[in-house]
Each structure stands twice: as C-alpha cells, then as structure tokens.
C-alpha cells in the first residue's frame, strides 16, 4: 500500500537523524495517514479513502468532501479521488 495521501498527494520525505555527537544517519518522515470513510452529499454515498490527518482537517474546514474536491488540483489527487471528483461534478451539473 502506497504511503501517499489520496487527496493532497503528501508523501514520505527524507532527512537526517542527528545525534548529540552530531552524527547524521538517513531517515524517513512518513505522513500521518488514516483510513477514513467520507460522505458525498451530491452522490448520496460514502467513499473509503486513505488520507493524512491534515487533509481530514482541510475537508472539515471547507465543508465536506464535495467542497474540498471542487477546489482541489487534479494533479494532487489519486486516480480514485479524481473519479469521485468527476462523478460529483456530473451530479451537481445535472441537479
């Protein structure tokens, strides 16, 4: 399973562990990913996504999954999230 947020594209970063003696060893900073189920109001169904904690706060701040995906850049979204975004846009255009 990939360690990348499906909504923001946030992934692992690299850096150094620095000891008290100033020895440096490589390490990875992993994003705080959570498996969540988000409800789409336009489609009337739920979607399971693997997103970061920061993305979950952003979804709540913008007013739900539909509003978040409407403003999200396509190149940051996963293939699954991009499909959800297109389905929501179709549903809102039809309504």
């Amino acid at each position: 399973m990939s360690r990348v947020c499906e909504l923001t594209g946030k992934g692992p970063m690299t850096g150094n562990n620095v000891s008290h003696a100033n020895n440096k060893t490589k390490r990875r900073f992993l994003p705080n990913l959570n498996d969540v189920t988000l409800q789409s109001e336009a489609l009337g169904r739920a979607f399971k996504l693997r997103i970061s904690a920061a993305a979950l706060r952003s979804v709540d701040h913008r007013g739900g999954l539909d509003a978040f995906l409407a403003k999200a850049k396509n190149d940051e979204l996963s293939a699954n999230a991009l499909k959800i975004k297109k389905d929501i846009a179709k549903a809102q255009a039809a309504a």
Side-chain angles (χ1 to χ4, degrees):
M1 192 179 293
S2 177
R3 289 190 172 103
V4 177
C5 175
E6 291 191 60
L7 295 183
T8 61
K10 186 181 289 192
M13 295 176 66
T14 59
N16 290 310
N17 275 332
V18 181
S19 70
H20 185 67
N22 208 29
N23 297 328
K24 296 171 184 72
T25 56
K26 282 293 188 187
R27 63 159 293 181
R28 289 174 51 155
F29 294 93
L30 300 176
N32 183 12
L33 296 179
N34 299 296
D35 294 316
V36 297
T37 303
L38 297 174
Q39 189 74 28
S40 170
E41 295 168 3
L43 299 176
R45 57 175 289 226
F47 295 97
K48 289 190 77 164
L49 297 169
R50 191 162 194 234
I51 64 173
S52 65
L56 185 57
R57 288 195 306 272
S58 297
V59 168
D60 288 339
H61 179 75
R62 287 196 185 159
L65 181 64
D66 299 350
F68 180 88
L69 288 175
K71 285 190 171 184
K73 296 178 182 172
N74 289 345
D75 57 325
E76 292 178 348
L77 298 174
S78 68
N80 185 27
L82 200 55
K83 184 181 181 320
I84 296 169
K85 179 178 179 176
K86 288 179 182 175
D87 290 346
I88 289 172
K90 281 183 190 175
Q92 288 175 340

